[in-house]
Amino acid sequence: MHQPQKENIVFEDLFSLRNLFDPMVIDIILVHRGSCSSSVDNLYSPSAPAAGPADETVIERWVVQYDCPRFIATPSGADACVSYKKIYKKSIILLRSLYTQMRLLPAYRIFKQLSSLSQTYNFDLVYKVSSFSHPFSREEESGMKEYIFAPVEALSGCLSVSVTYRATLSDFNLEPLVSLPPKIITDYVGSPTTDPMRSFPSSDKGAHATSFPLRGARPPSSSPFQRPHSWSSGFHRGFPSTKTQSLAGSPPVYRTSPKPYDIASPPTDLYGNRIQNQRVSTLQQVTAYDEYKSSPPFSPSASPSTPSYLSGTNPLRTRHCSETAPVTIPLPLTGRSTRYLSPNSSDPSRHSLPPLSPRSSKHDASSQESPSGIRSYRKIEALRAGESPSGLSNNYSAQKVVRDSKDDSGRFSALLSSSGSPRIGFSRSSSRLSFQDDMDDCEFSCPFDVDDVDVSDSSSQNTEGKKASEFTAQSNLVGKKSHDAAVGILVHMLRTAPPLRQDSSCYSTHSLRTEYEGGVSIASGFFMPRKTADALEELNSYREMKDLLLSKSGTRVVRKEEIK
Amino acid sequence: MNCEVCQLKELEVEHFEIREVLRCILHTIVFHRALGLVRPKDVDLELFEITYVQCGDVELEKKIDEKIDHFISWVEKHPNKKSQICLSFYEVKSKQPSWFTNKTERLYWEQWYINLNVTQHPKHHSSKSHHTKLVVDPGESATEERSSRRAMVEASLREVLFQIIKFVNEKKDHVPPISEGVIYFPYEITIPSSSDSAFGMDMIKRMLHSGHPTMLS
């Protein structure tokens, strides 16, 4: 009766008695395990048998009996009602006194101790219900007291309750078990409700903090993930810990307001948001190129990570700050092209491009910088030396940092196509020649797939592209290998643009001159109806860009007109 | 109908123990006399390792606390005095009005006298205190004395509670029949009044009503 769940069992035992008039004896037994070292073991394996013998002592014995007299007087009428009320009154008083008495007995204090979950003890309380009981020994009786409740005389019998209990339990060594001191879990990973963005402190094992946001987490590059979360999603698995990070994700402040560019085939990977951010952030790298209005679709790095903020050590940013390269970027025929094709709108310093990255800084997983960014440096430098038009080089450099989720290299063809029909086409052969070294280094690919932008004036663009290819060819003649690579990549970028792709089948690997002439002839075959003035203006811009690059590299510009 | 009187064992308590002791005793008695539908609530005493049962009625608890407050204020005015608190259960009987009685009459059918001896236990003693013959360390002896005294009070209180249970079990016939919907029998708690003369008048009134001499210590 000390526990509610046991009360139900008591009732079941009552009904299971053969004879309802047999006494029901409820023994409250104290199971006491000796206090020894084994008690500590029991703490960890409470179900295991105690090492020492467990003493069982009856500390309370309740006897409930319903005596049935031989002669049962059954009142009737009003007497019955009065009788039932009296029986009810007396039963209620008996129940109240029983309720109070139970809490005054010593066993109740033990019951309360066991009920508290704060500690574990070396004893336990069990009960036994039976219709007979073993009499107590004299020794046991000496330490026990008895109280008999006033019987309640019912119509058909007499209900009597009595209790025999131990007056004191101080003889038993009832003590809580020794528990281990609380141990602080230093590498506690928490529950699924834990903030997933929380970073965990490094432990002595060398595990480093790793934060796993819902998407695009950027684990520390120096630490591999050591403790997987069972509740975390699989995004963190196979997480390239040292994958180079993309550029900053926060939208930087632009000199010119970036506009949402119409991308024919925007990257639709999971990191679309970051693409936007990276795109925006990358644009900041080329902020010097003020005329760049339409932000190219920069694809994120291959590593599924949030764009890391570019530190001051980022060479791209550093170089960007050191030199302003106001290279205009060719745009589609949307009316904005003239704006971008006029390099004069910007200060001369904008024509300068950031210096090339070191040759050794290849696409390396251990590099802290984005390989696309590194590659872009090479391309940019190649452009500078390769007499590329300012706008094209700007486009090239801007595009090179674009990545998609598939590969590290950037694809610029889609950029060009998305931004419209490029005005310049490059010789494929020349691009390939200069492209070889870069291809050896990394898997160069364009950021976007080939789109289906139908460019009507691709022919004129091809003409200009061929002219640019001549410039790149010149750069090759000048030729450091890195320059050739940059030019080659630029050429490839321009070549894979939609209008250029249509001419791709016409491109072939020839000598520079031959290619140039062929390109011109081919380009002429794909003349698209457009304003001549626009085309000439674009060509002029590219020429100026080329001049600038060559002037810096000390190469004399050879123009088409001069050749002719 | 007879009025059953129960004189509970005298308890020697300190001033700060009055409230808990009285609460325990009064609630225990009422719990055995509130034969209607109640929701028992176990209450653990803070000063003693005793658990008593309340009826779970907020109003009842408030009334009892008010009476205890009155008693405590009386004790403060009359320190070191034996006092008595009377808990009476009565029936309301309508009676024909006469020139010296009211229309309604209270028929007390049970009275409980709680005898308390509130002592102002001397605090930190000097070596000349008669309570400690051998002074080794006044602090330790005072602590041990306090703990032993506390154990004695706890045992006495437990005995008082057993006494209540025994009385409740043995005498049931005088308890009026339970009315449907009625939880408590009408009761009143009488504490000593501020003036002795008034207290004496209260006792005389009680004698007139109950017809039984009250035992005063």
Side-chain angles (χ1 to χ4, degrees):
Chain A
M1 283 190 167
H2 288 271
Q3 299 178 11
Q5 60 273 18
K6 291 185 177 178
E7 293 175 355
N8 298 329
I9 302 174
V10 170
F11 293 145
E12 293 174 2
D13 294 334
L14 174 62
F15 292 124
S16 67
L17 294 175
R18 282 189 178 183
N19 190 353
L20 185 62
F21 301 104
D22 289 341
M24 182 173 68
V25 180
I26 304 171
D27 287 338
I28 306 300
I29 302 170
L30 174 66
V31 180
H32 180 227
R33 290 182 286 270
S35 61
C36 56
S37 61
S38 62
S39 64
V40 180
D41 299 334
N42 293 334
L43 179 66
Y44 296 99
S45 56
S47 60
D55 298 331
E56 294 186 355
T57 308
V58 178
I59 58 175
E60 283 184 10
R61 173 168 288 172
W62 298 80
V63 179
V64 181
Q65 190 164 10
Y66 185 68
D67 295 329
C68 180
R70 291 183 180 180
F71 177 73
I72 299 175
T74 53
S76 60
D79 295 338
C81 183
V82 174
S83 297
Y84 287 132
K85 286 187 177 180
K86 283 186 179 179
I87 295 170
Y88 175 76
K89 179 185 69 177
K90 292 180 181 179
S91 302
I92 289 293
I93 294 174
L94 170 64
L95 184 62
R96 299 293 174 91
S97 60
L98 188 66
Y99 197 94
T100 306
Q101 176 85 342
M102 193 182 301
R103 281 150 179 78
L104 294 177
L105 298 182
Y108 182 75
R109 188 172 64 87
I110 299 178
F111 164 71
K112 283 182 63 178
Q113 288 179 344
L114 293 174
S115 299
S116 65
L117 301 177
S118 60
Q119 282 182 327
T120 56
Y121 295 89
N122 61 346
F123 57 90
D124 195 6
L125 278 181
V126 297
Y127 78 99
K128 185 179 71 172
V129 180
S130 61
S131 60
F132 64 93
S133 62
H134 296 287
F136 292 117
S137 64
R138 286 193 177 179
E139 183 181 356
E140 291 175 334
E141 282 187 6
S142 61
M144 304 191 81
K145 292 183 179 179
E146 185 181 16
Y147 181 78
I148 301 174
F149 291 84
V152 176
E153 295 178 356
L155 295 178
S156 58
C158 182
L159 180 65
S160 61
V161 179
S162 66
V163 59
T164 306
Y165 61 95
R166 273 184 170 267
T168 177
L169 296 179
S170 58
D171 299 338
F172 300 95
N173 187 15
L174 307 178
E175 59 186 15
L177 292 177
V178 178
S179 60
L180 292 178
K183 181 181 178 182
I184 298 176
I185 303 173
T186 56
D187 56 348
Y188 179 61
V189 296
S191 65
T193 58
T194 306
D195 181 13
M197 295 299 295
R198 185 185 70 186
S199 60
F200 299 101
S202 58
S203 64
D204 297 334
K205 297 181 181 179
H208 295 266
T210 310
S211 61
F212 297 96
L214 292 179
R215 54 183 292 174
R218 182 181 75 86
S221 58
S222 59
S223 64
F225 175 61
Q226 262 202 346
R227 193 165 178 178
H229 301 248
S230 60
W231 44 265
S232 57
S233 60
F235 66 85
H236 68 281
R237 293 178 185 146
F239 222 71
S241 60
T242 58
K243 206 66 175 175
T244 58
Q245 306 307 320
S246 52
L247 303 177
S250 65
V253 178
Y254 288 87
R255 296 187 206 174
T256 59
S257 61
K259 291 184 181 180
Y261 55 95
D262 48 340
I263 305 172
S265 60
T268 57
D269 57 311
L270 296 178
Y271 311 96
N273 293 331
R274 293 190 291 105
I275 292 174
Q276 180 68 37
N277 293 333
Q278 295 176 11
R279 177 189 313 133
V280 171
S281 63
T282 307
L283 284 178
Q284 189 182 18
Q285 312 312 314
V286 294
T287 305
Y289 312 118
D290 283 343
E291 300 304 316
Y292 189 74
K293 284 292 185 179
S294 171
S295 60
F298 298 137
S299 61
S301 61
S303 63
S305 61
T306 51
S308 61
Y309 287 88
L310 287 177
S311 60
T313 59
N314 192 315
L316 182 60
R317 184 183 290 273
T318 303
R319 290 161 184 159
H320 168 69
C321 295
S322 61
E323 302 180 46
T324 56
V327 180
T328 60
I329 299 175
L331 289 178
L333 298 175
T334 55
R336 299 175 297 181
S337 58
T338 56
R339 182 178 178 184
Y340 295 102
L341 293 179
S342 74
N344 298 325
S345 61
S346 59
D347 56 292
S349 62
R350 290 168 52 234
H351 290 277
S352 62
L353 294 173
L356 284 174
S357 60
R359 185 60 185 159
S360 60
S361 61
K362 302 180 181 180
H363 174 58
D364 188 4
S366 60
S367 172
Q368 295 299 324
E369 301 173 359
S370 171
S372 62
I374 297 174
R375 198 177 301 112
S376 67
Y377 304 152
R378 284 196 297 255
K379 308 304 178 289
I380 292 172
E381 291 174 2
L383 284 175
R384 192 169 59 180
E387 306 172 358
S388 301
S390 61
L392 180 61
S393 63
N394 183 23
N395 190 11
Y396 178 84
S397 61
Q399 292 170 351
K400 282 313 294 178
V401 298
V402 177
R403 294 190 169 279
D404 58 65
S405 60
K406 296 180 181 180
D407 49 46
D408 291 338
S409 59
R411 294 185 178 274
F412 301 97
S413 60
L415 169 61
L416 291 174
S417 62
S418 62
S419 60
S421 57
R423 307 296 179 263
I424 299 173
F426 286 101
S427 166
R428 169 174 290 188
S429 59
S430 62
S431 64
R432 279 190 180 178
L433 285 177
S434 59
F435 195 61
Q436 282 301 318
D437 56 350
D438 187 67
M439 291 301 291
D440 293 334
D441 298 333
C442 64
E443 181 183 1
F444 173 76
S445 60
C446 295
F448 303 110
D449 295 333
V450 174
D451 54 23
D452 298 327
V453 174
D454 186 15
V455 182
S456 59
D457 54 349
S458 60
S459 59
S460 62
Q461 300 166 12
N462 295 334
T463 304
E464 298 172 357
K466 289 303 176 184
K467 296 176 182 177
S469 67
E470 175 195 9
F471 305 147
T472 57
Q474 297 296 331
S475 66
N476 291 335
L477 290 176
V478 172
K480 295 180 178 180
K481 193 177 183 184
S482 60
H483 292 253
D484 296 338
V487 173
I489 291 176
L490 176 60
V491 169
H492 178 79
M493 171 187 70
L494 297 172
R495 180 191 57 188
T496 53
L500 298 176
R501 282 198 315 279
Q502 297 172 8
D503 304 330
S504 61
S505 60
C506 302
Y507 291 134
S508 61
T509 305
H510 296 292
S511 61
L512 296 175
R513 285 181 181 274
T514 307
E515 186 180 31
Y516 168 76
E517 294 175 352
V520 171
S521 59
I522 292 171
S524 60
F526 287 84
F527 177 77
M528 302 299 293
R530 53 170 291 186
K531 295 184 178 179
T532 308
D534 296 336
L536 288 176
E537 194 174 349
E538 195 173 17
L539 175 62
N540 291 331
S541 67
Y542 287 139
R543 284 180 177 175
E544 290 177 1
M545 188 188 306
K546 183 209 70 177
D547 294 340
L548 175 63
L549 295 173
L550 292 178
S551 64
K552 287 198 173 181
S553 62
T555 306
R556 182 165 175 271
V557 177
V558 178
R559 285 177 170 260
K560 175 185 176 182
E561 292 76 8
E562 295 178 4
I563 293 175
K564 287 187 176 178
Chain B
M1 184 178 293
N2 295 331
C3 179
E4 297 290 342
V5 177
C6 180
Q7 292 284 346
L8 296 177
K9 180 185 174 182
E10 183 178 278
L11 291 173
E12 188 171 313
V13 296
E14 290 190 44
H15 188 273
F16 67 95
E17 296 171 339
I18 294 175
R19 187 177 298 276
E20 280 219 324
V21 168
L22 283 183
R23 272 183 183 168
C24 177
I25 295 175
L26 290 174
H27 277 286
T28 301
I29 296 172
V30 174
F31 178 69
H32 288 88
R33 289 294 177 252
L35 303 183
L37 178 63
V38 297
R39 287 176 173 79
K41 184 177 72 174
D42 294 348
V43 180
D44 299 328
L45 291 179
E46 297 178 0
L47 300 176
F48 311 103
E49 288 189 2
I50 292 175
T51 301
Y52 70 97
V53 186
Q54 290 185 2
C55 293
D57 186 3
V58 179
E59 290 296 325
L60 173 67
E61 192 174 353
K62 196 180 296 182
K63 286 183 183 178
I64 290 177
D65 287 343
E66 286 179 4
K67 286 297 181 180
I68 293 174
D69 293 337
H70 295 161
F71 177 77
I72 291 175
S73 61
W74 183 89
V75 167
E76 290 174 351
K77 296 176 183 177
H78 303 84
N80 293 325
K81 254 189 161 180
K82 293 184 179 182
S83 56
Q84 195 177 54
I85 297 175
C86 182
L87 174 57
S88 305
F89 294 94
Y90 60 90
E91 283 185 292
V92 179
K93 294 288 186 181
S94 61
K95 192 176 181 181
Q96 285 193 353
S98 62
W99 62 278
F100 65 91
T101 57
N102 297 327
K103 291 182 180 180
T104 59
E105 185 181 6
R106 289 183 175 182
L107 291 178
Y108 294 92
W109 51 270
E110 189 172 83
Q111 291 177 332
W112 299 80
Y113 290 96
I114 304 168
N115 300 300
L116 294 180
N117 186 12
V118 182
T119 60
Q120 294 290 344
H121 188 70
K123 295 180 181 177
H124 180 65
H125 280 79
S126 60
S127 59
K128 296 181 180 179
S129 170
H130 63 281
H131 287 269
T132 57
K133 295 180 180 178
L134 187 64
V135 179
V136 178
D137 185 356
E140 289 184 356
S141 63
T143 305
E144 293 177 356
E145 184 180 353
R146 195 179 302 116
S147 62
S148 65
R149 200 200 68 81
R150 182 74 57 84
M152 288 176 55
V153 174
E154 180 178 329
S156 300
L157 181 57
R158 203 182 294 272
E159 287 183 18
V160 168
L161 297 178
F162 277 118
Q163 188 181 358
I164 295 172
I165 293 172
K166 183 180 179 182
F167 184 88
V168 164
N169 266 271
E170 291 176 351
K171 302 181 187 297
K172 299 177 185 176
D173 296 331
H174 68 286
V175 180
I178 302 172
S179 303
E180 188 171 352
V182 178
I183 299 176
Y184 308 100
F185 292 113
Y187 69 93
E188 69 174 5
I189 301 175
T190 308
I191 59 174
S193 58
S194 57
S195 61
D196 292 338
S197 60
F199 182 71
M201 286 301 298
D202 292 337
M203 297 310 299
I204 293 173
K205 285 182 181 178
R206 195 171 296 111
M207 288 173 64
L208 290 175
H209 283 288
S210 62
H212 282 263
T214 56
M215 296 172 59
L216 294 177
S217 59

